[in-house]
Every structure is written in structure tokens, then in C-alpha cells.
Amino acid sequence: MCFLNIFPLAGFLFIVLIIILKVMTLQRRGIMVRASRRKMDFTVFLLYPVFLLLLFLWLAALVVKTFQIPFFPEFNLLIRHQIVSSWLEAAGAGLIVLSIVVMVITMLHFQSSFRFGMDKKNQGKLITTGIFLHSRNPFFVSVDLFFIGQAMIFPGILFITMALLAMPGIHLFIMKEEKFLIAYYKKDYLDYKSRVRRYF
């Protein structure tokens, strides 16, 4: 097993751990991180099972590639390297490390405003300092960097497809979130939006 092969799975687990620690810290302080339950949009309802299936498939592929577990041939075709390059793998590992660094800094700078979902009754203060001076969405920049990095280390059809799906999917979510933030923070967010780029 190549040393660089551990980066995608280890990076994913590390990012999940960072987020869990942030959520636990905020919940200990009595801050509700998750948006209150509301009626699910029909489109979201239809896409949710597809998202869960892709996530499960992707995680299974990460484990199989990391530990070189023999699997059925059709699955191996999806995860087999299309390009073999140690330089590409090293650059991918570098992007995953960078994504972790960005995520750690983001979680620190979020202070008590980190939230999942959009809930007008449960929003923190608008953060415009620290890493948020350079990007309005450093959390999502971190996720994009991770997916690009894992596709460079494991340049198989499945991993490349996941990276290509993640980026427009994240962009669409950001566009929806921006509408919510404008409606909630009004001029404060519009001023911030005019000063700081969406990504970097």
C-alpha cells in the first residue's frame, strides 16, 4: 500500500472529527447547531436517497482503495487509476492537507456561529473576520479542495465523478444559502458580499 493512499480516508475522518468536536463544543454551551425540523422540499426528498447511495458507494470505494481490499471486478473498474503519476498523487495529498488546515482555521474563526441548515430562528452572528476576510465560504472551499485532492490520489472514474459532482452541488447550495443570508442579515451581508469573494 502506497503511503499516499491513506490521505483521502484519513483526511475525510479528520475533517469529520473536526466538525464533530465543533458541534459538541457548541452544544455544551447550549447552542443549537442544527436547523429546526421543517417540511422537506419534494426535490430534496427525491435527491436524499441518491445522495446517501453515492455517499455509501464513495466511502466503500475509499476503504477498498486505502486498504487494497479485493472486490468484485465491476467495482474495481470504477476505482481503477486512469492516470498513474506520483506527482499527481503528491499534489493530491498536499490539497488534502491544505483542506484540513482550511477547515481547522474555519472552525476556529466560526466562533459560536457555526450552523447546519438555514433557520431564521437559529442564526449566529455574521462572521466577517479572520479567514472570512478572504473567503465568504471557507468551509466549502475546504470540502472542494478535499474532493479534488482525493481524485488526484485515486484518479478512478468514481472518484473523479464524485469530485465533479461535489463542486457544482456545493456551488448550488452556496447560491441558495446566499439568498437566505441576504434575507436574514440584509445590508450587513450585502456589504460583506461586495467586499469579499465567494470562494477565494
Side-chain angles (χ1 to χ4, degrees):
M1 178 175 71
C2 172
F3 168 69
L4 294 177
N5 283 3
I6 68 168
F7 273 77
L9 182 60
F12 172 73
L13 293 174
F14 197 81
I15 287 170
V16 168
L17 179 65
I18 293 164
I19 294 168
I20 289 170
L21 288 173
K22 182 68 174 181
V23 169
M24 287 171 62
T25 302
L26 292 176
Q27 286 181 336
R28 251 187 258 121
R29 291 168 54 191
I31 297 167
M32 183 58 114
V33 176
R34 202 164 40 99
S36 58
R37 289 181 185 268
R38 54 189 173 138
K39 194 175 178 184
M40 194 182 283
D41 180 87
F42 186 67
T43 310
V44 175
F45 179 75
L46 289 176
L47 290 174
Y48 201 67
V50 175
F51 170 77
L52 288 176
L53 178 65
L54 284 173
L55 180 65
F56 175 77
L57 189 65
W58 174 74
L59 282 172
L62 267 187
V63 171
V64 167
K65 283 299 282 182
T66 301
F67 300 107
Q68 302 294 306
I69 300 167
F71 221 58
F72 55 88
E74 294 80 8
F75 193 72
N76 287 335
L77 278 175
L78 287 175
I79 62 176
R80 188 177 63 202
H81 282 49
Q82 300 301 310
I83 306 162
V84 178
S85 167
S86 56
W87 289 101
L88 190 66
E89 289 177 1
L95 283 182
I96 288 174
V97 170
L98 180 59
S99 79
I100 291 168
V101 170
V102 170
M103 184 61 77
V104 169
I105 293 169
T106 300
M107 288 296 124
L108 290 171
H109 290 178
F110 250 130
Q111 299 165 29
S112 61
S113 291
F114 182 65
R115 298 288 187 277
F116 284 118
M118 294 168 264
D119 187 349
K120 287 187 177 179
K121 295 175 185 174
N122 182 31
Q123 282 299 305
K125 178 185 149 200
L126 179 65
I127 306 294
T128 60
T129 57
I131 197 168
F132 292 90
L133 278 170
H134 309 286
S135 170
R136 298 199 312 266
N137 298 285
F139 179 92
F140 295 117
V141 168
S142 170
V143 175
D144 278 342
L145 288 171
F146 172 80
F147 274 101
I148 295 166
Q150 59 92 41
M152 290 167 77
I153 293 174
F154 296 146
I157 294 166
L158 178 62
F159 296 108
I160 293 169
T161 301
M162 287 300 288
L164 292 174
L165 287 174
M167 288 184 284
I170 286 169
H171 180 75
L172 288 173
F173 180 81
I174 287 171
M175 299 304 286
K176 184 177 178 181
E177 187 182 56
E178 281 183 5
K179 288 179 185 174
F180 170 80
L181 294 171
I182 290 167
Y184 186 82
Y185 294 109
K186 299 181 173 60
K187 188 176 182 301
D188 287 344
Y189 187 77
L190 287 169
D191 290 346
Y192 174 58
K193 188 172 181 271
S194 69
R195 294 193 317 268
V196 179
R197 293 179 183 178
R198 180 175 288 132
Y199 292 105
F200 48 82

